[in-house]
Amino acid sequence: MEGTTTKPLLHTLKVSRRTGVNRVFAVVYTCAIFALLYHHALSILHSTTLVSFFISLSIFISDVLLGFMWSTTQSFRMRPIYRREFPENLHKVTTEKDFPAVDIFICTADPYKEPPINVVNTALSVMAYDYPTEKLSVYVSDDGGSELTLFAFMEAAEFASHWLPFCRENKIIERCPDAYFRSNYSKCSDTHEKIKTMYESMKIRVEKVVEKGKVGDEYITGEQERQAFNKWRKEGEGFTRQHHPTVIQVLLDSERDKDIKGHSMPNLIYVSREKSKMSPHNFKAGALNVLLRVSGIMTNAPIILSLDCDMYSNDPQTPHRVLCYFFSDPAARPNLGYVQFPQRFHGLNNDDIYASEFKYLFQINPVGMDGLQGTSFVGTGCFFSRRVFFGGPSSFVTPEIPQLCPDHVVDKPLQAQQILSLAHHVAGCNYEHQTSWGFKMGFRYGSLVEDYYTGYRLQCEGWTSIFCHPERPAFLGDVPITLNDALRNRKRCSVGLLEVAFSKYCPITFGARAMGPLMGHGYAHSAFGPILSIPITIYAFLPQLALLNGLSIFPKVSDPWFFLYVFLFLGAYGQHCLDFILAQGTLGRWWSDQRMWMIKGVSSYLFGLFEYVTIHLGIATQGFNVTSKVLNDEQSRRYDQGIFEFGVPSPMFVPLAMAAIIKLLAFSMGLVEVFRGRNLDGLFLQKFIAGFVVLNCWPIYEAMVLRTDKGRMPTKTTIISTFLACLLYSAASLTL
């Protein structure tokens, strides 16, 4: 109609063209799985010996579990969608003065495993957002209660007064100082070199203090700083990471502090919550809830960004992309709880040998969930509506004091005594007693994977989410460069996921009722992921031990059932590879991804399952290990060359090496049988499995026998694994 105006487009979405094909393939493949299980059931019923019954039952259980886990992946393929934002149109529908304030949460826990200079870089990168600085507040949670971290942020506050105007004036895109100075930046003026010199000077000071282990008097330049560090001095040996009072230090105040150009600085607040050995602290979820309450008292921004300490901003326009959804007809999105960006990483080697990119978890599966009710929360790079932490969209949970309500307006200065006193109070270790925090409010307790569990519970309450995946990564993080670090992290996650899977909030039951069967299955894919250790371990040993004893457990090549196995293998692997390549992956990285799937099955998943069982039997206690972010030059060099790093004697390497040894023996015997022309028809599938896995195990053989560097498989682990593999072979020979 004449005289009408079209509202500027802020975002679009389109449904994947592969949706129809995915659905048809899912039906066909499901029929094939049921046919296979029928074949296994016949084998069990027709078993003539105890050994054949045991083998048939083991293979049946394995394929039931593999079939179930495959079925959970189909939720991601039913309606994948792709979104696009237009932040350049944002100024047409609103002005900067109407932008909502943003509170940014950054958590760190150990200055020796998570170097403070890295945490500083993350904070500086988000402080330099293209966003009104008076609307930005950065809260740093130091769960290690370390004066080293506080000192690093005091240095950062001073450097920020130069770094922020430098980024604005030069329109810098990479606003993480370390990333910027490592790049081939343009040295267009003396200012660049001056800023770099200032950064290097700050970095040296911070690293010297960390190396020394305490902040010496020579680094304390003012009375305000001295008073801050006196909190550690007064407590003396009584101030430990497990037992210390609350420390809240306002390092930058937007109402008082200006940069060198006279512009306001973002708020920067250091928080170390009270810790007591007598009170549970609920790991990272507990730290985030303290930040949620402290920020509610001090600034109470309606938008919250949660970031890992090593996940720096790679795009200063990221908040504008988020606003494209929050400002896009809010009346039509009353249930929008959060906008999640994928975890992306810098420093990956060519083939990503440890599959640290997690392309399925962070890029492919979220696209599928986004077409349903929204993606899960992955722990970092997530913009929340503060309201989401106080009950469902239609069931508000009132906090115990009115100052914590999401719509409360803070009308006092940041450093007002009343504000600081109340902030200290809500950060106390006993504050949550007899409250709903962690259960009906805030980040949820009950699992080591607080991110997955919180997102899951929020969506069960009725909140939806958006997956925002721009071409330029919004955030970039570090990756583990040793196999042990990669496996330890997944083992911890496995325990946490199983805690959800076998709780009253099981995604298959509770989740399916709350969100629908597709979303429930989507969340079940992660929750039950560690049970893959059962079929992977069975297939890692049983077919090979049977092959070594000349026992056929799969159909012959001439048997029609053989072609069902071929279809199932090629169908699953083909679909996996196609998804990976279409998500801008490479064949080399896809090969690493499927290899790490097998490796984790007999190591981190297996040990995670065992730890979960022992915890619930009261044999072991729950713990939280911080993944080290410290880089070793020699390990980094080997990682860049694509060489696996074993190095330390880890129990998780023992079953991995055992499986590799058994596979090599079976494959070698299979080759001998091929050359002799014996039983090629009956044992083909077992020989194929052995050969395929031997190919995947090459880095293990190399580390056990061929390498002499410090990253090789420890000799002790090789000897123990060889002995146990021989013992297992002997036992199988007597049994089979």
Side-chain angles (χ1 to χ4, degrees):
M1 288 178 61
E2 195 174 328
T4 61
T5 58
T6 304
K7 189 175 180 180
L9 200 62
L10 294 181
H11 65 87
T12 60
L13 69 82
K14 67 174 182 178
V15 179
S16 171
R17 290 178 295 180
R18 294 169 52 215
T19 299
V21 176
N22 287 343
R23 293 176 180 180
V24 171
F25 180 78
V27 172
V28 174
Y29 201 87
T30 299
C31 294
I33 290 174
F34 279 115
L36 178 67
L37 297 181
Y38 170 74
H39 173 66
H40 288 328
L42 290 179
S43 299
I44 293 172
L45 292 174
H46 296 146
S47 298
T48 55
T49 65
L50 185 61
V51 170
S52 63
F53 175 81
F54 170 76
I55 292 174
S56 297
L57 182 62
S58 298
I59 297 297
F60 176 74
I61 291 172
S62 297
D63 286 347
V64 165
L65 294 176
L66 287 172
F68 167 71
M69 291 306 300
W70 176 86
S71 73
T72 63
T73 66
Q74 299 315 297
S75 298
F76 311 127
R77 297 185 171 108
M78 291 299 100
R79 190 179 178 266
I81 62 172
Y82 299 92
R83 299 183 184 272
R84 184 183 175 191
E85 305 79 37
F86 304 96
E88 64 275 10
N89 291 339
L90 201 58
H91 72 280
K92 299 176 183 178
V93 298
T94 188
T95 60
E96 282 198 353
K97 69 180 181 63
D98 293 323
F99 281 9
V102 180
D103 287 342
I104 302 171
F105 297 170
I106 301 173
C107 293
T108 184
D110 189 327
Y112 296 104
K113 290 185 177 181
E114 298 171 333
I117 192 63
N118 292 359
V119 189
V120 160
N121 272 279
T122 297
L124 288 169
S125 70
V126 292
M127 290 169 67
Y129 270 148
D130 284 337
Y131 208 79
T133 51
E134 68 276 6
K135 293 178 180 288
L136 287 176
S137 299
V138 178
Y139 291 83
V140 179
S141 169
D142 177 16
D143 234 24
S146 173
E147 61 179 317
L148 310 179
T149 304
L150 176 58
F151 172 77
F153 274 90
M154 286 181 170
E155 292 285 302
E158 184 176 344
F159 176 70
S161 65
H162 297 266
W163 176 247
L164 270 58
F166 170 77
C167 291
R168 281 195 302 266
E169 291 174 2
N170 294 281
K171 294 182 170 53
I172 304 299
I173 301 298
E174 288 183 315
R175 299 195 177 180
C176 167
D178 188 68
Y180 175 71
F181 293 124
R182 278 191 284 108
S183 66
N184 296 320
Y185 65 94
S186 175
K187 302 176 183 179
C188 56
S189 69
D190 292 338
T191 309
H192 287 72
E193 290 307 305
K194 181 182 177 182
I195 290 289
K196 183 177 181 180
T197 301
M198 291 178 62
Y199 172 72
E200 293 295 338
S201 175
M202 176 188 70
K203 183 177 179 180
I204 290 170
R205 285 165 61 85
V206 170
E207 289 178 344
K208 280 185 176 180
V209 165
V210 172
E211 185 179 357
K212 191 176 180 181
K214 66 176 183 178
V215 182
D217 291 338
E218 66 273 20
Y219 292 105
I220 302 176
T221 58
E223 185 58 30
Q224 190 175 1
E225 291 183 2
R226 190 173 304 279
Q227 289 179 6
F229 291 116
N230 277 343
K231 295 168 185 174
W232 279 266
R233 307 290 189 273
K234 288 178 181 178
E235 294 286 336
E237 294 182 0
F239 198 115
T240 66
R241 61 176 300 166
Q242 293 88 14
H243 187 89
H244 61 78
T246 297
V247 179
I248 298 177
Q249 193 73 27
V250 179
L251 302 175
L252 288 175
D253 185 337
S254 63
E255 294 183 359
R256 299 184 183 183
D257 296 300
K258 310 292 181 184
D259 62 28
I260 59 171
K261 299 295 184 179
H263 298 108
S264 295
M265 299 280 283
N267 296 317
L268 178 61
I269 301 101
Y270 169 92
V271 179
S272 184
R273 58 177 168 150
E274 182 185 12
K275 286 278 194 73
S276 171
K277 295 179 181 178
M278 305 301 293
S279 299
H281 55 84
N282 295 301
F283 309 112
K284 186 178 178 181
L288 286 167
N289 278 337
V290 168
L291 289 186
L292 190 59
R293 294 194 295 271
V294 169
S295 66
I297 298 299
M298 302 183 81
T299 50
N300 208 37
I303 305 293
I304 293 171
L305 166 60
S306 175
L307 271 184
D308 280 349
C309 65
D310 64 329
M311 191 67 62
Y312 66 81
S313 169
N314 188 54
D315 184 356
Q317 287 284 307
T318 296
H320 292 218
R321 293 187 179 277
V322 175
L323 295 186
C324 286
Y325 295 105
F326 280 109
F327 271 120
S328 176
D329 193 8
R333 291 190 176 276
N335 298 347
L336 178 58
Y338 58 88
V339 177
Q340 176 69 63
F341 288 82
Q343 286 197 42
R344 303 286 295 275
F345 304 94
H346 65 92
L348 290 167
N349 59 21
N350 288 338
D351 289 335
D352 185 19
I353 55 174
Y354 304 134
S356 299
E357 188 179 24
F358 291 103
K359 188 173 282 290
Y360 265 85
L361 177 62
F362 296 142
Q363 297 180 46
I364 298 175
N365 293 350
V367 169
M369 294 185 77
D370 201 21
L372 302 175
Q373 191 175 318
T375 186
S376 59
F377 168 41
V378 298
T380 185
C382 189
F383 288 80
F384 290 96
S385 163
R386 184 177 288 268
R387 168 65 181 85
V388 82
F389 295 110
F390 297 90
S394 58
S395 55
F396 180 70
V397 177
T398 305
E400 53 286 345
I401 56 175
Q403 292 90 335
L404 293 178
C405 284
D407 57 355
H408 171 70
V409 178
V410 179
D411 56 0
K412 293 182 176 60
L414 196 65
Q415 300 190 61
Q417 187 58 42
Q418 185 178 350
I419 293 291
L420 291 175
S421 296
L422 191 54
H424 277 77
H425 173 62
V426 299
C429 61
N430 295 319
Y431 179 82
E432 294 182 353
H433 289 181
Q434 296 182 336
T435 70
S436 297
W437 285 97
F439 303 99
K440 294 181 180 179
M441 287 192 300
F443 294 85
R444 304 306 162 88
Y445 305 151
S447 172
L448 283 175
V449 283
E450 80 295 324
D451 48 2
Y452 166 87
Y453 188 49
T454 296
Y456 167 60
R457 290 289 302 278
L458 292 179
Q459 292 199 304
C460 285
E461 290 174 359
W463 294 105
T464 60
S465 64
I466 295 290
F467 182 59
C468 186
H469 190 187
E471 186 174 345
R472 179 179 178 85
F475 304 96
L476 289 174
D478 295 330
V479 292
I481 61 172
T482 72
L483 182 60
N484 187 51
D485 282 346
L487 295 181
R488 284 180 62 194
N489 183 48
R490 297 319 299 169
K491 187 189 83 168
R492 177 185 67 80
C493 291
S494 296
V495 176
L497 290 168
L498 289 170
E499 288 171 337
V500 181
F502 296 105
S503 71
K504 67 178 182 179
Y505 297 108
C506 172
I508 291 295
T509 54
F510 182 88
R513 288 196 303 270
M515 299 180 290
L518 287 179
M519 282 294 291
H521 260 64
Y523 271 102
H525 177 69
S526 294
F528 287 95
I531 67 171
L532 281 169
S533 59
I534 297 172
I536 292 175
T537 302
I538 290 174
Y539 271 109
F541 291 100
L542 187 56
Q544 284 62 246
L545 291 171
L547 177 60
L548 287 169
N549 288 277
L551 184 64
S552 176
I553 62 175
F554 293 121
K556 297 179 180 181
V557 176
S558 56
D559 190 330
W561 288 107
F562 170 81
F563 296 100
L564 179 63
Y565 278 84
V566 173
F567 170 75
L568 289 168
F569 176 83
L570 293 180
Y573 262 75
Q575 189 178 46
H576 185 274
C577 183
L578 181 63
D579 287 342
F580 200 94
I581 298 300
L582 291 178
Q584 299 181 334
T586 65
L587 281 174
R589 290 190 174 185
W590 169 78
W591 181 262
S592 296
D593 190 82
Q594 61 86 32
R595 176 172 57 199
M596 279 301 297
W597 179 78
M598 297 183 195
I599 288 175
K600 286 183 287 191
V602 293
S603 55
S604 54
Y605 288 165
L606 184 63
F607 277 74
L609 179 60
F610 178 76
E611 186 173 317
Y612 168 78
V613 172
T614 56
I615 287 172
H616 284 265
L617 291 176
I619 301 172
T621 57
Q622 193 179 61
F624 185 95
N625 294 316
V626 177
T627 303
S628 176
K629 312 296 192 307
V630 180
L631 300 181
N632 176 288
D633 290 340
E634 195 174 334
Q635 291 176 346
S636 295
R637 178 180 55 80
R638 285 193 288 269
Y639 176 76
D640 291 338
Q641 294 172 348
I643 300 173
F644 269 62
E645 183 75 29
F646 292 88
V648 297
S650 169
M652 285 189 285
F653 294 160
V654 174
L656 184 60
M658 284 177 62
I661 292 168
I662 295 291
K663 291 281 195 309
L664 186 60
L665 289 174
F667 181 64
S668 300
M669 180 171 288
L671 284 179
V672 171
E673 294 289 321
V674 169
F675 289 129
R676 290 181 177 178
R678 295 179 183 174
N679 203 9
L680 297 180
D681 185 39
L683 297 173
F684 176 81
L685 274 178
Q686 287 158 260
K687 293 173 184 176
F688 172 79
I689 292 173
F692 181 72
V693 180
V694 163
L695 192 61
N696 276 283
C697 287
W698 173 250
I700 302 171
Y701 303 132
E702 189 180 41
M704 293 173 71
V705 180
L706 302 178
R707 288 168 52 187
T708 57
D709 56 74
K710 292 182 180 179
R712 72 189 303 270
M713 182 79 77
T715 304
K716 182 180 178 181
T717 303
T718 301
I719 293 172
I720 292 174
S721 302
T722 304
F723 172 74
L724 292 176
C726 292
L727 200 63
L728 182 62
Y729 170 63
S730 301
S733 298
L734 293 174
T735 306
L736 301 178

PDB file of all heavy atoms in Angstrom, residues 469-489:
ATOM      1  N   HIS A 469      25.648 -18.197  14.062  1.00  0.00           N
ATOM      2  CA  HIS A 469      26.907 -18.732  13.538  1.00  0.00           C
ATOM      3  C   HIS A 469      27.396 -17.860  12.381  1.00  0.00           C
ATOM      4  O   HIS A 469      27.304 -18.235  11.208  1.00  0.00           O
ATOM      5  CB  HIS A 469      26.696 -20.171  13.079  1.00  0.00           C
ATOM      6  CG  HIS A 469      27.964 -20.887  12.741  1.00  0.00           C
ATOM      7  ND1 HIS A 469      27.972 -22.140  12.178  1.00  0.00           N
ATOM      8  CD2 HIS A 469      29.264 -20.535  12.877  1.00  0.00           C
ATOM      9  CE1 HIS A 469      29.217 -22.523  11.984  1.00  0.00           C
ATOM     10  NE2 HIS A 469      30.009 -21.559  12.398  1.00  0.00           N
ATOM     11  N   PRO A 470      27.966 -16.681  12.680  1.00  0.00           N
ATOM     12  CA  PRO A 470      28.437 -15.805  11.608  1.00  0.00           C
ATOM     13  C   PRO A 470      29.690 -16.363  10.940  1.00  0.00           C
ATOM     14  O   PRO A 470      30.380 -17.227  11.492  1.00  0.00           O
ATOM     15  CB  PRO A 470      28.747 -14.495  12.340  1.00  0.00           C
ATOM     16  CG  PRO A 470      29.038 -14.906  13.737  1.00  0.00           C
ATOM     17  CD  PRO A 470      28.172 -16.099  14.016  1.00  0.00           C
ATOM     18  N   GLU A 471      29.956 -15.865   9.737  1.00  0.00           N
ATOM     19  CA  GLU A 471      31.116 -16.355   8.986  1.00  0.00           C
ATOM     20  C   GLU A 471      32.418 -16.081   9.738  1.00  0.00           C
ATOM     21  O   GLU A 471      33.296 -16.943   9.802  1.00  0.00           O
ATOM     22  CB  GLU A 471      31.155 -15.681   7.605  1.00  0.00           C
ATOM     23  CG  GLU A 471      32.250 -16.226   6.702  1.00  0.00           C
ATOM     24  CD  GLU A 471      32.183 -15.648   5.301  1.00  0.00           C
ATOM     25  OE1 GLU A 471      31.141 -15.057   4.948  1.00  0.00           O
ATOM     26  OE2 GLU A 471      33.174 -15.782   4.561  1.00  0.00           O
ATOM     27  N   ARG A 472      32.552 -14.888  10.296  1.00  0.00           N
ATOM     28  CA  ARG A 472      33.724 -14.599  11.118  1.00  0.00           C
ATOM     29  C   ARG A 472      33.431 -15.083  12.542  1.00  0.00           C
ATOM     30  O   ARG A 472      32.435 -14.682  13.145  1.00  0.00           O
ATOM     31  CB  ARG A 472      34.038 -13.105  11.138  1.00  0.00           C
ATOM     32  CG  ARG A 472      35.254 -12.761  12.002  1.00  0.00           C
ATOM     33  CD  ARG A 472      35.581 -11.277  12.011  1.00  0.00           C
ATOM     34  NE  ARG A 472      36.706 -11.007  12.888  1.00  0.00           N
ATOM     35  CZ  ARG A 472      37.989 -11.100  12.529  1.00  0.00           C
ATOM     36  NH1 ARG A 472      38.288 -11.431  11.286  1.00  0.00           N
ATOM     37  NH2 ARG A 472      38.956 -10.853  13.401  1.00  0.00           N
ATOM     38  N   PRO A 473      34.281 -15.956  13.103  1.00  0.00           N
ATOM     39  CA  PRO A 473      34.020 -16.449  14.456  1.00  0.00           C
ATOM     40  C   PRO A 473      33.877 -15.306  15.453  1.00  0.00           C
ATOM     41  O   PRO A 473      34.687 -14.376  15.471  1.00  0.00           O
ATOM     42  CB  PRO A 473      35.252 -17.301  14.763  1.00  0.00           C
ATOM     43  CG  PRO A 473      35.807 -17.678  13.423  1.00  0.00           C
ATOM     44  CD  PRO A 473      35.508 -16.526  12.520  1.00  0.00           C
ATOM     45  N   ALA A 474      32.838 -15.381  16.280  1.00  0.00           N
ATOM     46  CA  ALA A 474      32.628 -14.343  17.289  1.00  0.00           C
ATOM     47  C   ALA A 474      33.637 -14.458  18.418  1.00  0.00           C
ATOM     48  O   ALA A 474      34.061 -13.454  18.998  1.00  0.00           O
ATOM     49  CB  ALA A 474      31.212 -14.447  17.850  1.00  0.00           C
ATOM     50  N   PHE A 475      34.045 -15.695  18.721  1.00  0.00           N
ATOM     51  CA  PHE A 475      34.991 -15.950  19.803  1.00  0.00           C
ATOM     52  C   PHE A 475      35.970 -17.033  19.357  1.00  0.00           C
ATOM     53  O   PHE A 475      35.614 -17.921  18.587  1.00  0.00           O
ATOM     54  CB  PHE A 475      34.267 -16.415  21.072  1.00  0.00           C
ATOM     55  CG  PHE A 475      33.211 -15.462  21.543  1.00  0.00           C
ATOM     56  CD1 PHE A 475      31.872 -15.655  21.201  1.00  0.00           C
ATOM     57  CD2 PHE A 475      33.534 -14.371  22.328  1.00  0.00           C
ATOM     58  CE1 PHE A 475      30.888 -14.782  21.628  1.00  0.00           C
ATOM     59  CE2 PHE A 475      32.561 -13.484  22.759  1.00  0.00           C
ATOM     60  CZ  PHE A 475      31.239 -13.684  22.412  1.00  0.00           C
ATOM     61  N   LEU A 476      37.179 -16.952  19.875  1.00  0.00           N
ATOM     62  CA  LEU A 476      38.197 -17.965  19.598  1.00  0.00           C
ATOM     63  C   LEU A 476      38.839 -18.401  20.909  1.00  0.00           C
ATOM     64  O   LEU A 476      39.149 -17.563  21.769  1.00  0.00           O
ATOM     65  CB  LEU A 476      39.266 -17.428  18.649  1.00  0.00           C
ATOM     66  CG  LEU A 476      38.862 -17.212  17.189  1.00  0.00           C
ATOM     67  CD1 LEU A 476      39.975 -16.539  16.409  1.00  0.00           C
ATOM     68  CD2 LEU A 476      38.496 -18.545  16.531  1.00  0.00           C
ATOM     69  N   GLY A 477      39.044 -19.706  21.058  1.00  0.00           N
ATOM     70  CA  GLY A 477      39.615 -20.223  22.299  1.00  0.00           C
ATOM     71  C   GLY A 477      40.815 -21.114  22.062  1.00  0.00           C
ATOM     72  O   GLY A 477      41.194 -21.394  20.919  1.00  0.00           O
ATOM     73  N   ASP A 478      41.411 -21.568  23.156  1.00  0.00           N
ATOM     74  CA  ASP A 478      42.572 -22.448  23.099  1.00  0.00           C
ATOM     75  C   ASP A 478      42.127 -23.903  22.972  1.00  0.00           C
ATOM     76  O   ASP A 478      41.008 -24.261  23.352  1.00  0.00           O
ATOM     77  CB  ASP A 478      43.427 -22.298  24.362  1.00  0.00           C
ATOM     78  CG  ASP A 478      44.034 -20.908  24.481  1.00  0.00           C
ATOM     79  OD1 ASP A 478      44.283 -20.290  23.432  1.00  0.00           O
ATOM     80  OD2 ASP A 478      44.250 -20.443  25.613  1.00  0.00           O
ATOM     81  N   VAL A 479      43.041 -24.740  22.488  1.00  0.00           N
ATOM     82  CA  VAL A 479      42.770 -26.174  22.386  1.00  0.00           C
ATOM     83  C   VAL A 479      43.844 -26.935  23.160  1.00  0.00           C
ATOM     84  O   VAL A 479      44.969 -26.450  23.303  1.00  0.00           O
ATOM     85  CB  VAL A 479      42.773 -26.652  20.915  1.00  0.00           C
ATOM     86  CG1 VAL A 479      41.605 -26.079  20.153  1.00  0.00           C
ATOM     87  CG2 VAL A 479      44.091 -26.323  20.223  1.00  0.00           C
ATOM     88  N   PRO A 480      43.519 -28.123  23.687  1.00  0.00           N
ATOM     89  CA  PRO A 480      44.552 -28.940  24.335  1.00  0.00           C
ATOM     90  C   PRO A 480      45.552 -29.435  23.296  1.00  0.00           C
ATOM     91  O   PRO A 480      45.160 -29.787  22.180  1.00  0.00           O
ATOM     92  CB  PRO A 480      43.757 -30.099  24.947  1.00  0.00           C
ATOM     93  CG  PRO A 480      42.486 -30.152  24.169  1.00  0.00           C
ATOM     94  CD  PRO A 480      42.187 -28.748  23.744  1.00  0.00           C
ATOM     95  N   ILE A 481      46.816 -29.447  23.663  1.00  0.00           N
ATOM     96  CA  ILE A 481      47.850 -29.879  22.711  1.00  0.00           C
ATOM     97  C   ILE A 481      48.459 -31.223  23.105  1.00  0.00           C
ATOM     98  O   ILE A 481      49.426 -31.664  22.494  1.00  0.00           O
ATOM     99  CB  ILE A 481      48.958 -28.814  22.561  1.00  0.00           C
ATOM    100  CG1 ILE A 481      49.650 -28.565  23.897  1.00  0.00           C
ATOM    101  CG2 ILE A 481      48.387 -27.529  21.978  1.00  0.00           C
ATOM    102  CD1 ILE A 481      50.884 -27.678  23.784  1.00  0.00           C
ATOM    103  N   THR A 482      47.908 -31.864  24.132  1.00  0.00           N
ATOM    104  CA  THR A 482      48.341 -33.211  24.496  1.00  0.00           C
ATOM    105  C   THR A 482      47.128 -34.120  24.546  1.00  0.00           C
ATOM    106  O   THR A 482      46.019 -33.676  24.869  1.00  0.00           O
ATOM    107  CB  THR A 482      49.062 -33.250  25.863  1.00  0.00           C
ATOM    108  OG1 THR A 482      48.101 -33.054  26.913  1.00  0.00           O
ATOM    109  CG2 THR A 482      50.139 -32.175  25.952  1.00  0.00           C
ATOM    110  N   LEU A 483      47.331 -35.382  24.253  1.00  0.00           N
ATOM    111  CA  LEU A 483      46.225 -36.343  24.263  1.00  0.00           C
ATOM    112  C   LEU A 483      45.676 -36.509  25.677  1.00  0.00           C
ATOM    113  O   LEU A 483      44.465 -36.625  25.865  1.00  0.00           O
ATOM    114  CB  LEU A 483      46.702 -37.696  23.722  1.00  0.00           C
ATOM    115  CG  LEU A 483      45.638 -38.795  23.639  1.00  0.00           C
ATOM    116  CD1 LEU A 483      44.498 -38.390  22.723  1.00  0.00           C
ATOM    117  CD2 LEU A 483      46.257 -40.112  23.158  1.00  0.00           C
ATOM    118  N   ASN A 484      46.556 -36.478  26.670  1.00  0.00           N
ATOM    119  CA  ASN A 484      46.107 -36.651  28.050  1.00  0.00           C
ATOM    120  C   ASN A 484      45.150 -35.535  28.461  1.00  0.00           C
ATOM    121  O   ASN A 484      44.109 -35.792  29.079  1.00  0.00           O
ATOM    122  CB  ASN A 484      47.313 -36.683  28.995  1.00  0.00           C
ATOM    123  CG  ASN A 484      46.914 -37.021  30.417  1.00  0.00           C
ATOM    124  OD1 ASN A 484      46.215 -37.999  30.664  1.00  0.00           O
ATOM    125  ND2 ASN A 484      47.353 -36.208  31.362  1.00  0.00           N
ATOM    126  N   ASP A 485      45.473 -34.289  28.120  1.00  0.00           N
ATOM    127  CA  ASP A 485      44.586 -33.169  28.455  1.00  0.00           C
ATOM    128  C   ASP A 485      43.239 -33.306  27.745  1.00  0.00           C
ATOM    129  O   ASP A 485      42.186 -33.034  28.329  1.00  0.00           O
ATOM    130  CB  ASP A 485      45.242 -31.838  28.072  1.00  0.00           C
ATOM    131  CG  ASP A 485      46.289 -31.395  29.083  1.00  0.00           C
ATOM    132  OD1 ASP A 485      46.315 -31.954  30.190  1.00  0.00           O
ATOM    133  OD2 ASP A 485      47.090 -30.504  28.759  1.00  0.00           O
ATOM    134  N   ALA A 486      43.291 -33.709  26.472  1.00  0.00           N
ATOM    135  CA  ALA A 486      42.047 -33.860  25.708  1.00  0.00           C
ATOM    136  C   ALA A 486      41.156 -34.944  26.322  1.00  0.00           C
ATOM    137  O   ALA A 486      39.936 -34.763  26.440  1.00  0.00           O
ATOM    138  CB  ALA A 486      42.371 -34.196  24.252  1.00  0.00           C
ATOM    139  N   LEU A 487      41.762 -36.058  26.745  1.00  0.00           N
ATOM    140  CA  LEU A 487      40.978 -37.162  27.294  1.00  0.00           C
ATOM    141  C   LEU A 487      40.485 -36.865  28.707  1.00  0.00           C
ATOM    142  O   LEU A 487      39.367 -37.239  29.074  1.00  0.00           O
ATOM    143  CB  LEU A 487      41.818 -38.448  27.296  1.00  0.00           C
ATOM    144  CG  LEU A 487      42.202 -38.992  25.913  1.00  0.00           C
ATOM    145  CD1 LEU A 487      43.013 -40.267  26.058  1.00  0.00           C
ATOM    146  CD2 LEU A 487      40.975 -39.242  25.053  1.00  0.00           C
ATOM    147  N   ARG A 488      41.297 -36.188  29.517  1.00  0.00           N
ATOM    148  CA  ARG A 488      40.869 -35.858  30.885  1.00  0.00           C
ATOM    149  C   ARG A 488      39.655 -34.935  30.867  1.00  0.00           C
ATOM    150  O   ARG A 488      38.734 -35.087  31.669  1.00  0.00           O
ATOM    151  CB  ARG A 488      42.021 -35.182  31.641  1.00  0.00           C
ATOM    152  CG  ARG A 488      43.104 -36.133  32.109  1.00  0.00           C
ATOM    153  CD  ARG A 488      44.194 -35.383  32.840  1.00  0.00           C
ATOM    154  NE  ARG A 488      43.686 -34.731  34.040  1.00  0.00           N
ATOM    155  CZ  ARG A 488      44.353 -33.797  34.702  1.00  0.00           C
ATOM    156  NH1 ARG A 488      45.537 -33.382  34.254  1.00  0.00           N
ATOM    157  NH2 ARG A 488      43.850 -33.269  35.798  1.00  0.00           N
ATOM    158  N   ASN A 489      39.664 -33.981  29.942  1.00  0.00           N
ATOM    159  CA  ASN A 489      38.525 -33.070  29.840  1.00  0.00           C
ATOM    160  C   ASN A 489      37.249 -33.823  29.468  1.00  0.00           C
ATOM    161  O   ASN A 489      36.180 -33.579  30.027  1.00  0.00           O
ATOM    162  CB  ASN A 489      38.835 -31.992  28.802  1.00  0.00           C
ATOM    163  CG  ASN A 489      37.723 -30.967  28.695  1.00  0.00           C
ATOM    164  OD1 ASN A 489      37.247 -30.444  29.697  1.00  0.00           O
ATOM    165  ND2 ASN A 489      37.290 -30.680  27.483  1.00  0.00           N
TER     166      ASN A 489
END
